[in-house]
Amino acid sequence: MDGFSDDGFSDDGFSDDGFSDDGFSDDDFIELDGIEKVFEVRRRAGLLRRERREVRAVDGISFRVPRGEMVGYIGPNGAGKSTTIKMLTGILVPSGGRLRVAGIDPSRERTRLARRIGVVFGQRTTLWWDLPLRDSYALVRRMYRIPDDRYRRNLDRCVELLDLGDLLDVPVRQLSLGQRMRGDIAAALLHDPEVLYLDEPTIGLDVVSKAKVRGFLREVNAEHGTTVLLTTHDLTDIEQLCKRVMVIDHGRLVYDGGLDGLHAVGGSERTLVVDLERELPPIEVPGARTVRVEGPRQWLAFPAAASAAPLVAAVADGYPLVDLSVREPEIEDVIARMLFPGSEPEEGAARGAVRSVGPH
Amino acid sequence: MAEPLPRARAYDGLRAYALIVAMWVRSTMAYRTSFLIMAFGNFAVNVLDFVAIALMFSHIDTLGGFTLAEVAFLYGTSGTAFGLADLALGSMERVGRRIRDGTLDTLLVRPVPILAQVAADRFALRRLGRIVQGALLLGWSLTRLDIDWTPDRVVLVPLMLLSGAVIFGAVFVLGGAFQFWAKDASEVQNSFTYGGTTMLQYPPTVFADELLRGVTFVIPLAFVNWLPALYVLGRPNPLGLPGWIGFTAPLVALGCAAVAGLAWRAGLRTYQSTGS
């Protein structure tokens, strides 16, 4: 039995929202149309006077995510990433626009939607601080009414893949950040959610924990077709997990597409690192320029959108080649280049051309 | 299809409340000695509180025309009603902190009503101490009072305890709701809950008429025990109101609960979370 056929939410009589229960609908799973969120910030201005100010944290965002997709949601601090996630989960009520997740309006039917989604906040735990993981999970099981066999199967899988075996009897407050994060991710997946939101899931983790988390997410997505939306500051997360990336800045979507397209828009360059047999003067091949020489090793920059194959062939043809590798550009630079272009932004970035006043 | 039926929601809420409470009780019982000490401490503090009143009566025979047994009746009813509300909903005070630091978010993504989660959060069984003390005192007063136990008087005693608990509970929820707007509303709420229960332990006759009018018609704390108790004890209402008004306590309690529920919903909709 696959994990989606009986999510336990059909028992309360709500399965008439346009989605067949087999989970293979082609409809868009997450739909946003012109979503806005305006915060009213009150500041003390003098003894009794208060100043009211409106902050547009999210300023007219529209996108669609089909079922089973894994999407990265990135942008600078205060761009509106977390605010978007909070609206998607029903924590915050949008100030304008239309929003549907699995056909449900999150802010109107928050608790009903909650059975079908999993949420992980990198900055805070959804587990019970004073309880061992095992007790937290048992409570989650009863809250979500997860059938016994499914609960045991899911828990076993999480324990194995996330390496939680030794941690089940430790109170959450005694766990390290990496352990707690793994515990949180497991808790969010016990009820087989159809979509998983992760807000900074790798923040503050060491390299090993990061790799574990990424591997697990990839597996969950591949095996169960779980839709995943994650925000992150670590762009390796995106590189390794997401085919599609959305960039948000000042509450507006400024890019939505593949990682390669992001490079093209930003006009970024990849690097070909070649090891030659001996020290030689800078290599000269068409379509690339040598940016650095260090003994027999040389670095050649070429447009990220171009293919590396002809370049490699040209180098191998004219030089005594020992080894080579291609390095992707730092996406942080790519985004910076896209957000602050020297010239006019190209197609895809056009929506971000007019900027509003942001929250900071 | 809008919200689930109110009845289903109420059931879900109570079920979740019971689940979370059971978990906290289990985790409390892991440290049994610690729990017993805390519960006894809670009980002893409340007992000493009444000892002060008893000592006062060694110098006077009546307080505002009420005997020691009658004051004990007021004390017991108010203490038990408040104790029940405090046990069930005392955790509402913590919601302010959760709103400020944004940890309310983690409760909002669970498939159970938020009020149930907040109310059951860190459920403290030690608060039983206050109920035990209130009930013992009430029991003692009943053995000493010379009351004409007509059926309506017999019914009114448990009815007033329940209504009183609901009224105090509504004040807890109302206080929690206001914390969505004013971050320090819990202090105001404390003055109505803790302050209210202290006031209700004394005979209404010792207070000014303005105050009595206030707690009868504005914030109906007088319905917790004063108005029903006046009828049970066969005493006239200081404001000249008829005795049957004590029987309206359940209606007043339901009204309070409805107002508190609406305020909570409104508060939740204004929730802005925090930055990250």
Side-chain angles (χ1 to χ4, degrees):
Chain A
M1 179 187 342
D2 76 85
F4 297 122
S5 52
D6 57 343
D7 312 87
F9 55 80
S10 40
D11 60 3
D12 47 26
F14 301 109
S15 46
D16 56 341
D17 40 24
F19 277 91
S20 49
D21 265 359
D22 60 15
F24 291 108
S25 170
D26 284 334
D27 296 358
D28 289 317
F29 189 66
I30 300 172
E31 299 172 66
L32 280 81
D33 281 313
I35 282 295
E36 294 173 17
K37 181 66 196 180
V38 181
F39 289 117
E40 193 173 85
V41 181
R42 270 177 294 180
R43 239 197 337 213
R44 206 160 270 181
L47 195 60
L48 287 170
R49 227 156 45 83
R50 293 225 169 168
E51 214 171 63
R52 283 188 177 197
R53 203 165 52 97
E54 280 195 348
V55 173
R56 303 185 78 82
V58 171
D59 194 8
I61 282 188
S62 306
F63 64 77
R64 267 150 225 285
V65 179
R67 207 176 263 272
E69 199 167 46
M70 212 165 179
V71 185
Y73 197 52
I74 58 180
N77 282 331
K81 302 186 296 284
S82 294
T83 304
T84 311
I85 295 225
K86 284 173 187 171
M87 287 191 282
L88 286 171
T89 50
I91 292 173
L92 290 177
V93 185
S95 316
R98 182 176 175 277
L99 172 59
R100 291 288 181 276
V101 177
I104 296 175
D105 180 349
S107 64
R108 292 201 51 175
E109 296 179 70
R110 195 191 65 243
T111 47
R112 189 181 144 212
L113 180 66
R115 286 172 187 279
R116 307 175 63 168
I117 65 174
V119 189
V120 176
F121 298 105
Q123 316 269 21
R124 52 181 67 110
T125 182
T126 52
L127 302 166
W128 286 265
W129 203 240
D130 301 290
L131 294 183
L133 278 181
R134 195 188 293 283
D135 291 6
S136 275
Y137 293 159
L139 193 54
V140 165
R141 177 179 81 79
R142 306 200 61 184
M143 265 193 187
Y144 286 83
R145 302 174 197 256
I146 308 170
D148 251 346
D149 54 335
R150 196 138 64 89
Y151 169 74
R152 210 153 296 141
R153 194 173 60 234
N154 286 344
L155 183 59
D156 287 349
R157 194 169 59 111
C158 287
V159 165
E160 186 195 323
L161 292 174
L162 288 168
D163 215 357
L164 294 171
D166 298 331
L167 307 175
L168 283 177
D169 295 308
V170 183
V172 172
R173 66 184 129 79
Q174 290 174 19
L175 297 178
S176 76
L177 191 57
Q179 293 169 334
R180 205 216 74 207
M181 182 62 68
R182 282 184 275 142
D184 254 313
I185 292 176
L189 286 168
L190 291 174
H191 60 289
D192 282 330
E194 291 160 79
V195 57
L196 181 64
Y197 302 107
L198 302 128
D199 196 2
E200 306 274 359
T202 55
I203 197 164
L205 302 195
D206 61 59
V207 182
V208 180
S209 292
K210 274 183 186 174
K212 232 174 241 170
V213 166
R214 284 180 197 137
F216 181 72
L217 292 179
R218 206 178 297 127
E219 170 133 359
V220 166
N221 174 254
E223 211 175 278
H224 282 254
T226 310
T227 311
V228 178
L229 184 71
L230 68 95
T231 78
T232 184
H233 270 102
D234 184 342
L235 297 149
T236 323
D237 289 347
I238 308 279
E239 269 174 355
Q240 297 196 353
L241 294 175
C242 308
K243 283 201 195 73
R244 176 179 171 195
V245 56
M246 292 189 281
V247 182
I248 181 175
D249 183 50
H250 289 102
R252 291 178 178 229
L253 205 58
V254 294
Y255 178 80
D256 183 353
L259 204 53
D260 40 351
L262 185 59
H263 295 318
V265 172
S268 59
E269 295 179 316
R270 288 195 281 172
T271 312
L272 183 69
V273 186
V274 296
D275 288 326
L276 304 174
E277 271 174 14
R278 56 186 186 278
E279 286 186 40
L280 282 172
I283 295 171
E284 279 175 36
V285 287
R289 58 199 170 81
T290 307
V291 290
R292 194 169 153 205
V293 179
E294 227 179 79
R297 176 172 286 192
Q298 301 202 8
W299 283 260
L300 284 81
F302 63 101
S307 165
L311 193 59
V312 172
V315 174
D317 238 20
Y319 297 87
L321 192 59
V322 176
D323 196 9
L324 62 80
S325 64
V326 178
R327 286 200 190 148
E328 298 296 325
E330 294 288 326
I331 310 181
E332 219 131 31
D333 299 338
V334 177
I335 293 171
R337 225 179 282 194
M338 198 188 70
L339 294 180
F340 311 104
S343 55
E344 275 302 297
E346 293 167 25
E347 50 97 28
R351 264 179 293 177
V354 186
R355 290 217 181 86
S356 61
V357 182
H360 52 171
Chain B
M1 182 75 69
E3 294 265 317
L5 299 170
R7 218 158 89 207
R9 272 184 72 79
Y11 170 76
D12 277 356
L14 286 176
R15 178 180 173 274
Y17 181 83
L19 284 177
I20 302 171
V21 163
M23 179 200 73
W24 283 111
V25 170
R26 262 201 312 278
S27 97
T28 309
M29 284 308 166
Y31 306 95
R32 201 175 300 257
T33 326
S34 158
F35 162 72
L36 288 174
I37 292 170
M38 297 281 272
F40 179 75
N42 195 300
F43 172 78
V45 166
N46 286 302
V47 168
L48 284 176
D49 198 28
F50 184 74
V51 166
I53 294 177
L55 284 176
M56 201 159 62
F57 271 89
S58 63
H59 296 283
I60 51 175
D61 290 331
T62 60
L63 179 64
F66 282 61
T67 64
L68 177 61
E70 284 172 319
V71 172
F73 181 77
L74 290 175
Y75 195 109
T77 48
S78 139
T80 308
F82 177 76
L84 287 169
D86 190 37
L87 179 72
L89 294 165
S91 301
M92 291 296 297
E93 285 176 53
R94 305 175 56 86
V95 75
R97 193 180 316 165
R98 283 192 173 274
I99 292 168
R100 277 191 297 277
D101 67 16
T103 50
L104 195 68
D105 291 357
T106 63
L107 306 185
L108 283 164
V109 299
R110 297 201 185 113
V112 288
I114 189 76
L115 185 59
Q117 294 186 68
V118 171
D121 192 28
R122 296 179 171 275
F123 180 83
L125 201 57
R126 64 167 187 282
R127 298 195 184 117
L128 272 176
R130 189 192 292 271
I131 301 175
V132 171
Q133 182 254 1
L136 286 177
L137 209 49
L138 178 59
W140 176 80
S141 75
L142 290 179
T143 64
R144 301 286 301 269
L145 285 168
D146 184 24
I147 294 174
D148 172 21
W149 284 113
T150 55
D152 56 347
R153 286 201 167 109
V154 173
V155 170
L156 194 52
V157 174
L159 209 56
M160 70 195 270
L161 291 181
L162 273 180
S163 311
V166 172
I167 291 173
F168 273 130
V171 176
F172 273 117
V173 173
L174 210 53
F178 278 123
Q179 299 200 35
F180 284 104
W181 291 289
K183 307 288 183 189
D184 296 313
S186 68
E187 293 306 317
V188 181
Q189 175 219 293
N190 282 346
S191 68
F192 286 112
T193 48
Y194 291 96
T197 186
T198 305
M199 175 186 78
L200 296 175
Q201 289 160 2
Y202 294 91
T205 44
V206 304
F207 294 100
D209 281 359
E210 286 76 23
L211 183 85
L212 294 187
R213 269 184 218 112
V215 297
T216 305
F217 300 115
V218 186
I219 299 146
L221 288 175
F223 289 86
V224 169
N225 69 341
W226 275 354
L227 299 177
L230 288 174
Y231 182 81
V232 172
L233 299 174
R235 288 182 166 272
N237 186 301
L239 295 178
L241 296 169
W244 56 260
I245 201 159
F247 285 94
T248 61
L251 293 177
V252 172
L254 283 181
C256 290
V259 168
L262 288 175
W264 175 257
R265 285 193 142 205
L268 200 55
R269 273 194 92 79
T270 67
Y271 178 57
Q272 296 210 340
S273 187
T274 52
S276 61

